């Protein structure tokens, strides 16, 4: 089973951000990230598929119409889509609120037709309780396996998979353990990562000679608050990779309920923030110089996780270092959840009809490879107060929309964040790396220039 290519049945999409809420609040328009999975409306292209999409707030009808515009029969797709809004943006995460709404649960059960899968953005005990209540299997890893998606668990899996990693220590919870690990590693700087941090927000770069110069990736973090999180969640300490040039590829893989596993994409990540370790966007595919090595390492990791019973989509982040003999890829972390590269890949796959070629690492539309550049973080003051429909029309009027004949152009997302935050994301698809990058630059200029 693949959520990208279901043949029939119902996808119950629950994009709850069941993550540490203190860090989530630091992301502009975080609640709107529930819209990341709206690309799954494109699966309604298949007549046997139904989608139930749950959200904290109503999805703007213009956004739904925008996605239906990619489909051959929007009216038929509309009949097979059930949108359920809880009309509550204050109570988070979404799944916790949903579990307290018997009427919403009844609506979900009534909308399910035939076989069904629940598709969560991230797994927690809440999602397992919801799936049990609905009597629907989850396309995601059981919570009993969640450790393998932590920073410490990733080091354990990487070791078993014989994948190179930065030197470091895992499963640390006490200040004394942190200090011992810091001074056991080479170099003047090391990086401390919370086990369950995401988007780089759980990281801190420590300077050994002066801990007061520690740089936290999350705004407002201090050693007092960070140490409390270490005690609660655990952490790893790893050498800080000073090597330059340094690249940040990632891989996306899936494991089916039957245990089949494969790598479906590699990307280069675009990072930002004070420590240049916060996810901002990506390009597909990863650079040719290290694409194969990243894919091979990801396949070995997927094999280990499949053997342990993991199901679903997940991502792996790497460092790529250039040396005299080529490139080395080091595992950075495993994210046992849908991540920042999932929706660009899904959007590109479902709009172009391309297939992934593991031999080359390319998306192939017949004999034509497809490339894309994506961002989650296009922000401009001039967009604030505008509606999603206005921005969609502006993009299309300027010739920056999606060309169904060539299967190139932009696929927009995070549109619900525009009115309040002046923020959106988009995936720019081209027939070459240059075309995708140029389209991306032109679109950003058009949006930010009003």
């Amino acid at each position: 089973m693949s959520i990208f290519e279901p043949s029939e049945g119902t996808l119950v999409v629950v994009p709850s951000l069941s993550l540490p809420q203190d860090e989530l609040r630091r992301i502009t328009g975080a609640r709107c990230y529930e819209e990341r999975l709206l690309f799954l409306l494109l699966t309604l292209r298949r007549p046997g598929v139904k989608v139930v999409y749950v959200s904290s707030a109503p999805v703007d009808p213009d956004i739904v119409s925008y996605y239906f515009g990619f489909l051959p029969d929007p009216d038929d797709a509309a009949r097979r889509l059930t949108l359920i809004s809880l009309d509550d943006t204050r109570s988070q995460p979404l799944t916790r609120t949903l579990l307290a709404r018997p009427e919403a649960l009844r609506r979900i059960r009534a909308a399910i037709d035939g076989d069904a899968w629940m598709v969560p953005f991230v797994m927690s005990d809440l999602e397992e309780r919801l799936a049990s209540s609905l009597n629907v299997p989850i396309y995601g890893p059981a919570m009993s396996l969640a450790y393998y998606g932590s920073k410490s668990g990733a080091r354990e899996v990487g070791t078993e998979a014989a994948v190179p990693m930065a030197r470091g220590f895992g499963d640390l919870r006490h200040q004394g353990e942190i200090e011992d690990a810091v001074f056991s590693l080479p170099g003047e700087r090391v990086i401390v990562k919370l086990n369950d941090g995401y988007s780089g927000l759980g990281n801190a770069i420590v300077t050994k000679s002066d801990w007061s110069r520690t740089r936290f990736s999350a705004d407002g973090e201090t050693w007092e608050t960070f140490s409390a999180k270490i005690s609660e969640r655990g952490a790893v300490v790893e050498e800080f990779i000073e090597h330059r040039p340094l690249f940040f590829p990632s891989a996306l893989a899936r494991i089916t309920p039957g245990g089949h596993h494969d790598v479906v994409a590699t990307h280069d990540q675009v990072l930002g923030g004070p420590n240049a370790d916060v996810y901002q966007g990506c390009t597909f595919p990863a650079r040719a110089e290290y694409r194969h090595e990243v894919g091979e390492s990801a396949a070995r990791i997927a094999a280990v996780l499949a053997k342990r019973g993991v199901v679903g989509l997940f991502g792996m982040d790497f460092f790529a270092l250039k040396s005299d003999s080529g490139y080395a890829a080091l595992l950075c972390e495993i994210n046992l959840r849908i991540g920042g590269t999932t929706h660009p890949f899904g959007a590109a796959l479902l709009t172009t009809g391309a297939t992934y070629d593991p031999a080359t690492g390319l998306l192939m539309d017949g004999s034509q490879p497809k490339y894309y550049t994506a961002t989650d973080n296009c922000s401009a003051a001039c967009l604030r107060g505008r509606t999603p429909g206005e921005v969609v029309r502006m993009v299309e009027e300027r010739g920056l929309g999606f060309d169904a004949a060539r299967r190139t152009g932009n696929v927009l997302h995070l549109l619900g964040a525009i009115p309040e935050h002046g923020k959106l994301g988009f995936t720019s698809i081209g027939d070459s790396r240059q075309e995708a990058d140029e389209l991306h630059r032109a679109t950003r200029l058009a949006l930010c220039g009003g």
Side-chain angles (χ1 to χ4, degrees):
M1 184 268 180
S2 167
I3 64 167
F4 298 125
E5 301 158 336
S7 57
E8 60 182 14
T10 305
L11 297 182
V12 180
V13 185
V14 185
S16 177
L17 303 176
S18 302
L19 296 161
Q21 298 297 298
D22 58 329
E23 292 163 27
L24 196 62
R25 283 190 287 270
R26 294 182 169 99
I27 298 177
T28 301
R31 199 275 307 161
C32 297
Y33 278 66
E34 290 178 5
E35 295 185 6
R36 269 181 165 181
L37 299 190
L38 281 172
F39 77 87
L40 289 172
L41 270 58
L42 303 180
T43 63
L44 292 167
R45 180 182 303 273
R46 291 181 176 267
V49 174
K50 293 184 67 176
V51 173
V52 179
Y53 203 99
V54 187
S55 59
S56 297
V59 179
D60 189 309
D62 282 346
I63 298 176
V64 178
S65 295
Y66 170 69
Y67 284 101
F68 280 174
F70 291 93
L71 303 179
D73 190 342
D75 291 337
D76 180 57
R79 287 190 287 270
R80 291 179 283 112
L81 171 64
T82 302
L83 295 172
I84 297 176
S85 168
L86 303 186
D87 294 311
D88 187 347
T89 60
R90 295 170 297 175
S91 301
Q92 293 293 332
L94 163 66
T95 308
R96 178 180 292 135
T97 308
L98 178 57
L99 285 166
R101 301 284 187 87
E103 177 56 32
L105 295 175
R106 283 194 289 270
R107 288 185 62 195
I108 294 173
R109 294 188 190 102
I112 292 173
D113 183 14
D115 292 338
W117 287 89
M118 186 177 117
V119 183
F121 178 78
V122 63
M123 281 295 297
S124 75
D125 293 335
L126 296 171
E127 281 67 41
E128 287 199 330
R129 285 172 52 198
L130 176 60
S132 176
S133 173
L134 297 173
N135 195 28
V136 171
I138 303 175
Y139 191 71
M143 282 305 296
S144 60
L145 304 172
Y147 173 75
Y148 301 124
S150 72
K151 304 300 187 293
S152 297
R155 294 192 64 83
E156 180 179 316
V157 172
T159 298
E160 182 174 340
V163 171
M165 294 177 286
R167 287 168 288 190
F169 303 89
D171 290 315
L172 309 177
R173 291 187 177 272
H174 305 293
Q175 186 64 27
E177 293 177 324
I178 297 293
E179 292 177 2
D180 288 346
V182 166
F183 290 107
S184 296
L185 292 170
E188 172 61 6
R189 295 191 292 176
V190 300
I191 187 165
V192 184
K193 305 176 187 176
L194 297 176
N195 263 344
D196 62 351
Y198 60 93
S199 293
L201 291 173
N203 297 350
I205 296 176
V206 177
T207 300
K208 291 181 181 179
S209 59
D210 184 359
W211 284 50
S212 67
R213 292 167 56 195
T214 297
R215 296 193 340 231
F216 297 99
S217 294
D219 291 338
E221 197 78 87
T222 66
W223 264 116
E224 181 179 1
T225 59
F226 199 65
S227 295
K229 293 174 183 177
I230 291 173
S231 298
E232 178 185 354
R233 308 179 198 173
V236 301
V237 175
E238 295 177 342
E239 63 179 319
F240 184 79
I241 307 296
E242 303 280 5
H243 187 99
R244 296 296 182 274
L246 183 64
F247 303 93
F248 306 95
S250 68
L252 186 64
R254 65 183 170 192
I255 303 174
T256 70
H260 173 76
H261 56 86
D262 57 357
V263 177
V264 297
T266 64
H267 296 88
D268 276 314
Q269 299 181 89
V270 179
L271 304 178
N275 291 334
D277 58 1
V278 177
Y279 179 83
Q280 303 288 308
C282 64
T283 61
F284 173 92
R287 288 168 58 118
E289 292 89 338
Y290 45 75
R291 187 188 309 157
H292 179 74
E293 184 171 358
V294 168
E296 287 291 308
S297 293
R300 293 201 297 273
I301 291 167
V304 170
L305 292 173
K307 184 171 64 176
R308 298 191 180 191
V310 170
V311 170
L313 281 164
F314 64 97
M316 296 150 277
D317 295 341
F318 294 84
F319 299 114
L321 292 71
K322 186 177 181 180
S323 65
D324 293 339
S325 58
Y327 283 83
L330 306 180
L331 175 65
C332 176
E333 62 186 49
I334 299 171
N335 298 302
L336 282 188
R337 56 177 173 81
I338 288 174
T341 62
T342 308
H343 55 285
F345 176 74
L349 194 76
L350 291 167
T351 55
T352 66
T355 56
Y356 181 72
D357 178 8
T360 62
L362 296 173
L363 270 179
M364 300 300 299
D365 177 13
S367 60
Q368 174 62 59
K370 295 293 182 179
Y371 300 76
Y372 57 82
T373 302
T375 182
D376 269 348
N377 290 276
C378 178
S379 301
C382 64
L383 293 175
R384 197 172 295 120
R386 303 189 72 171
T387 68
E390 288 174 340
V391 173
V392 167
R393 286 190 291 275
M394 180 186 73
V395 168
E396 292 177 345
E397 287 168 359
R398 299 191 182 190
L400 301 171
F402 188 79
D403 184 334
R406 293 189 66 236
R407 291 184 287 279
T408 60
N410 280 303
V411 183
L412 309 180
H413 65 273
L414 206 63
L415 290 163
I418 292 172
E420 183 178 356
H421 305 287
K423 176 179 178 178
L424 77 159
F426 56 95
T427 300
S428 305
I429 304 168
D431 286 339
S432 67
R433 172 81 277 137
Q434 181 180 5
E435 182 180 8
D437 287 344
E438 288 180 353
L439 174 61
H440 199 75
R441 283 192 291 270
T443 305
R444 188 180 287 274
L445 180 62
L447 291 167
C448 295

